[in-house]
Amino acid sequence: MLNIILCGAPGCGKGTQSALLVEKYGLKHLSTGDLLRAEMQSGSEVGQKASEFISQGNLVPDAMIIEILLKAVDTYSKDAAGFILDGFPRTVEQAIALEKAFEERNNKISFLIDIQVEREELITRLLKRGETSGRSDDNLETIKKRLEIYEEKTAPVNDFYKGLNKYFAIDGIGQIEEIFGRISSVIDSSK
Ligand code: AMP
């Protein structure tokens, strides 16, 4: 199975690239942000708990998101050729839990791809997205908070995967197809 973590700061293009990867490699896309927004829309207890964290730009608690992610993995494992994990893991604790859970399921994470985009460009993209996304967290104050949290909590996940020799970085600036080409080269050369 090909199980890829797509990592990078908010606004780096993870969602856009995931959609293209689904098409080319037949992988199942699991976005923890999308899973949480679906919970919020349904008005579930989990969704209600998550909404405050999300609208303030904070991460939801590890235990909550690990449970949501693994439930989705178990739901789709039988039919999927593999997974693209988008927005997970966002802390080293989540990464450790993910590695352990996949091992217990006789599966493994293939590698992490880090889509690199500089801060000013991320802010420009997210503000633009905020004009139409309707997301409670696409405003300047919350965007800055999310970028700070990315540096503090999520960037160490990259180091964790470097330590496992499962880390690849690509340049996230350019045309969508161009960036997709860079990601595809990493995947194809790993086969
Ligand atoms: P995203 O759509 O990936 O930008 O996620 C939107 C928001 O959902 C984040 O800012 C967090 O509040 C929350 N979230 C998504 N994934 C995670 C995760 N793996 N751990 C903690 N919080 C998450």
Side-chain angles (χ1 to χ4, degrees), residues 10 14 31-34 36-37 53-54 57-62 65 86-91 94 129 135 137 146:
K14 295 189 292 285
S31 152
T32 43
D34 286 351
L36 287 168
R37 282 183 287 275
F53 292 101
I54 293 176
N58 286 314
L59 296 181
V60 307
D62 284 333
I65 199 69
D86 160 4
F88 187 97
R90 259 181 161 96
T91 64
Q94 291 176 20
R129 185 173 82 184
R135 280 178 53 160
D137 55 353
R146 286 157 66 203

Side-chain angles (χ1 to χ4, degrees), residues 32-75:
T32 43
D34 286 351
L35 292 171
L36 287 168
R37 282 183 287 275
E39 290 285 349
M40 290 198 292
Q41 244 162 16
S42 76
S44 71
E45 205 178 314
V46 169
Q48 285 174 23
K49 273 192 200 150
S51 80
E52 201 166 322
F53 292 101
I54 293 176
S55 61
Q56 290 179 359
N58 286 314
L59 296 181
V60 307
D62 284 333
M64 180 194 278
I65 199 69
I66 289 166
E67 190 181 334
I68 291 175
L69 187 272
L70 291 181
K71 206 160 131 192
V73 164
D74 289 336
T75 302

